[in-house]
Amino acid sequence: MIRIDKAAWDVMVAHARAAYPRECCGAMLGVEADGGRHVMEARPMRNAFEGAQEDTYQLDPAEQLQVEKEARAKGMSVMGIFHSHPDCDAYFSKRDLENSCPWYSFVVLSVKNGEFDHANSFLPNFDQTEAPKETLEYQQ
Amino acid sequence: MAKILIPTPLRQFAGGNDAVEVSGATVGEILDQLTTTHPDLRKNLFNDEGKLRSFVNVYLNDEDIRYLSKTATAAKDSDTISIVPSIAGGR
Ligand SMILES: [Zn+2]
């Protein structure tokens, strides 16, 4: 289960809308709570993919390192990564799975015609062969 | 001893610690020592051939060891080692 506070959710949706029609990406910061994850802050990050960003995203590892430090300084940690799917449903694609990592929650936001449509969260398994959905709670 | 920062999802495999101090002359020796002390970490960081898993990036301070001397990169006591997963995706 991943629960995302309104302030964090608003940042994620705003970032996804601003990046449209390109894919956005970012980190979700928070704490582990009751066997699940509680996200208190979202941190927009740059899409480092050098090419068509309409259907691809890539995190910048140097920025990840920075975000990790910021999270630690606030007594939080990176709980997951979010990215958007412009004009496409919020599913976890084969490339999303192959280039993920089993340590985080992966939230995908569907943005259609520039507006937020729906979202899902996925938990890649250890070998990144499948990513079952996890319960996602957010306040709009 | 160099300090290794442990990402939150891996702390359960590192005795709950958010950082571990390990001695070793190179990043490779330090990671070996770390995963000998905490064997459950090993399969999260290394594949069956003993190579770092494809998504695992290791940073010595602010430098990716891939652009230094990889696991042969020398480490000093004052150094901090970070583990950063590489993440991307697309339709
Ligand atoms: Zn995707």
Side-chain angles (χ1 to χ4, degrees), chain B residues 41-59:
Chain B
L41 269 181
R42 178 160 277 273
K43 66 184 194 326
N44 273 282
L45 301 181
F46 295 97
N47 62 22
D48 293 340
E49 288 95 62
K51 294 255 180 349
L52 283 169
R53 292 184 70 182
S54 58
F55 62 83
V56 175
N57 296 316
V58 177
Y59 275 71

Side-chain angles (χ1 to χ4, degrees), chain B residues 8-62:
Chain B
T8 312
L10 299 186
R11 287 176 200 165
Q12 56 180 310
F13 308 118
N17 297 302
D18 67 349
V20 178
E21 303 225 330
V22 177
S23 52
T26 63
V27 172
E29 280 182 29
I30 288 167
L31 291 176
D32 261 346
Q33 183 60 48
L34 172 73
T35 54
T36 302
T37 312
H38 300 287
D40 292 340
L41 269 181
R42 178 160 277 273
K43 66 184 194 326
N44 273 282
L45 301 181
F46 295 97
N47 62 22
D48 293 340
E49 288 95 62
K51 294 255 180 349
L52 283 169
R53 292 184 70 182
S54 58
F55 62 83
V56 175
N57 296 316
V58 177
Y59 275 71
L60 181 71
N61 303 317
D62 292 324

Side-chain angles (χ1 to χ4, degrees), chain A residues 23 55 57 83-85 91-93 95-96 108, chain B residues 89-91:
Chain A
E23 290 199 8
D55 60 2
Y57 83 98
H83 76 281
S84 63
H85 279 181
Y91 70 104
F92 210 55
S93 73
R95 281 168 64 207
D96 284 339
V108 182
Chain B
R91 284 184 275 135

Side-chain angles (χ1 to χ4, degrees), chain A residues 94-114:
Chain A
K94 187 164 178 287
R95 281 168 64 207
D96 284 339
L97 180 60
E98 287 170 354
N99 298 288
S100 66
C101 100
W103 303 342
Y104 293 138
S105 293
F106 283 81
V107 172
V108 182
L109 296 91
S110 167
V111 181
K112 293 185 177 171
N113 299 313

Side-chain angles (χ1 to χ4, degrees), chain A residues 31-84:
Chain A
V31 294
E32 286 173 337
D34 308 325
R37 290 167 163 159
H38 178 196
V39 174
M40 283 107 88
E41 272 187 42
R43 170 76 150 72
M45 291 172 71
R46 85 182 178 92
N47 185 343
F49 181 69
E50 293 176 1
Q53 295 185 351
E54 282 74 11
D55 60 2
T56 305
Y57 83 98
Q58 187 181 340
L59 295 187
D60 170 4
E63 193 177 18
Q64 282 174 261
L65 199 57
Q66 184 58 39
V67 171
E68 185 79 38
K69 278 183 196 163
E70 288 172 19
R72 274 175 188 258
K74 291 175 176 174
M76 295 190 278
S77 333
V78 177
M79 292 285 115
I81 300 299
F82 69 94
H83 76 281
S84 63

Side-chain angles (χ1 to χ4, degrees), chain B residues 57-71:
Chain B
N57 296 316
V58 177
Y59 275 71
L60 181 71
N61 303 317
D62 292 324
E63 298 275 356
D64 188 334
I65 62 162
R66 193 171 297 147
Y67 305 114
L68 301 170
S69 307
K70 302 185 178 151
T71 50

